[in-house]
Amino acid sequence: MTNSILSAIHWNVSPEIFSIGSFEVRYYTLCFLLAFVSSYFLMLRIFQRENKSQELLDQLSIYIFIGTLLGARLGHCLFYEFDYYKDHPLEMILPYTYVNGKFTLTGFHGLASHGGAIGILAGIFLFCRKTKTDFLWLTDRLVIVIPLAGAFVRIGNFFNSEIIGLPSDLPWAVVFERVDQIPRHPAQLYEALSYVLIFVLLWNIYHKKPALKPGFIFGLFLILLFGARFVLEFVKENQEAFEDGMTYNMGQLLSLPFVAVGIYLLFRPAKKTA
């Protein structure tokens, strides 16, 4: 183990880029913003290619932003720390805690990607309902850029030294010194790389296969992204203690329904046109 520690990559970068008093800017925040900015400009290219207005994309962006934040936050509270938040429901959406008659600003701690996915789908549904946009048409295009956004978020997790991997003696193992002195799989980077590859694949399919049936790209996205998430969970530490006794952790269990929907969309018969 000593030789492994010496040969491993040591990571001890502060999560903060800079702070002024109680105000701080973190790498995770920067990565989160890059996720939305990159997604917006890529979607703008797609909308222009499809002769859709930028105003429509601007409306969609608001729905996606709100859906992502609310879904990711509520997903964490309900899927991973329900025992706590069922007794502190306001802390799910308000950045403070109330203890001994005193309000203390805590910020938000905990976002769940599966909850974010549900929130995005809910936002898309509401948007499509309001604007009379076809749901599968939109999801087939939106899911092309989501993996790239997810890659930025996982890089942010790497800067935070969170969602770490299991112990490893591989040459690229990383010692997250803010956590412990054990060489570990850089699981965040594995996930980020897999998401980039999924983005490249979907981007090329969209541009080279224009006649695919509605829902095909959406279904392929669900299978690839959540399939990758299921596999990579095997090299990641469990996020909560209750997962330690489970054969498959919460992230894997939550991935299965998404994969199942993806398989259905991919292999369902195409509707016949008159």
Side-chain angles (χ1 to χ4, degrees):
M1 178 63 73
T2 301
N3 290 334
S4 297
I5 294 174
L6 291 175
S7 63
I9 301 166
H10 287 253
W11 183 255
N12 192 27
V13 174
S14 171
E16 298 176 11
I17 301 174
F18 67 86
S19 61
I20 303 174
S22 59
F23 175 78
E24 62 181 35
V25 175
R26 301 169 70 92
Y27 286 104
Y28 184 85
T29 305
L30 177 61
C31 289
F32 209 86
L33 290 174
L34 286 173
F36 274 98
V37 170
S38 62
S39 297
Y40 178 87
F41 283 106
L42 288 170
M43 281 301 296
L44 181 58
R45 288 185 60 180
I46 291 174
F47 267 48
Q48 290 171 340
R49 186 173 188 261
E50 303 272 356
N51 296 316
K52 301 292 183 181
S53 70
Q54 186 171 352
E55 288 75 17
L56 190 68
L57 176 59
D58 291 341
Q59 292 181 48
L60 173 63
S61 298
I62 295 172
Y63 280 82
I64 296 299
F65 185 80
I66 295 173
T68 301
L69 290 181
L70 285 179
R73 177 61 182 162
L74 294 176
H76 172 82
C77 297
L78 297 176
F79 298 149
Y80 291 98
E81 294 192 58
F82 179 73
D83 285 344
Y84 175 82
Y85 285 104
K86 67 181 174 60
D87 298 321
H88 305 83
L90 284 179
E91 292 182 36
M92 292 185 189
I93 56 175
L94 298 176
Y96 68 81
T97 186
Y98 184 73
V99 180
N100 298 325
K102 182 180 178 181
F103 291 101
T104 302
L105 184 66
T106 59
F108 293 119
H109 298 283
L111 298 171
S113 57
H114 292 89
I118 295 171
I120 289 172
L121 290 174
I124 295 171
F125 174 79
L126 294 174
F127 171 82
C128 290
R129 190 172 168 185
K130 180 180 179 181
T131 61
K132 310 302 181 184
T133 303
D134 183 77
F135 181 82
L136 287 179
W137 177 90
L138 182 56
T139 51
D140 273 338
R141 286 144 184 84
L142 183 61
V143 299
I144 296 169
V145 304
I146 286 178
L148 185 61
F152 278 116
V153 172
R154 283 295 177 252
I155 292 171
N157 296 136
F158 184 76
F159 275 99
N160 276 353
S161 296
E162 61 189 2
I163 313 183
I164 58 175
L166 293 170
S168 170
D169 57 1
L170 291 170
W172 55 83
V174 175
V175 175
F176 295 95
E177 294 185 0
R178 290 179 170 271
V179 179
D180 53 32
Q181 295 298 313
I182 301 173
R184 297 177 176 277
H185 287 284
Q188 315 96 322
L189 300 184
Y190 294 168
E191 207 163 339
L193 178 59
S194 68
Y195 291 170
V196 169
L197 294 175
I198 293 170
F199 160 71
V200 171
L201 176 63
L202 297 181
W203 183 264
N204 279 280
I205 289 175
Y206 168 71
H207 283 86
K208 295 178 181 179
K209 303 285 187 180
L212 293 169
K213 68 180 179 182
F216 182 90
I217 294 179
F218 182 30
L220 184 60
F221 159 82
L222 291 174
I223 294 170
L224 292 176
L225 189 135
F226 289 100
R229 176 69 188 271
F230 184 91
V231 172
L232 289 172
E233 288 294 323
F234 286 113
V235 297
K236 291 161 64 175
E237 289 281 6
N238 291 329
Q239 294 188 50
E240 300 295 336
F242 75 84
E243 297 176 290
D244 291 343
M246 300 168 61
T247 303
Y248 302 106
N249 64 25
M250 183 60 75
Q252 291 174 309
L253 295 178
L254 292 172
S255 294
L256 292 176
F258 289 99
V259 174
V261 172
I263 293 172
Y264 166 75
L265 290 171
L266 209 62
F267 294 103
R268 72 185 181 124
K271 290 184 178 180
K272 295 181 179 180
T273 56

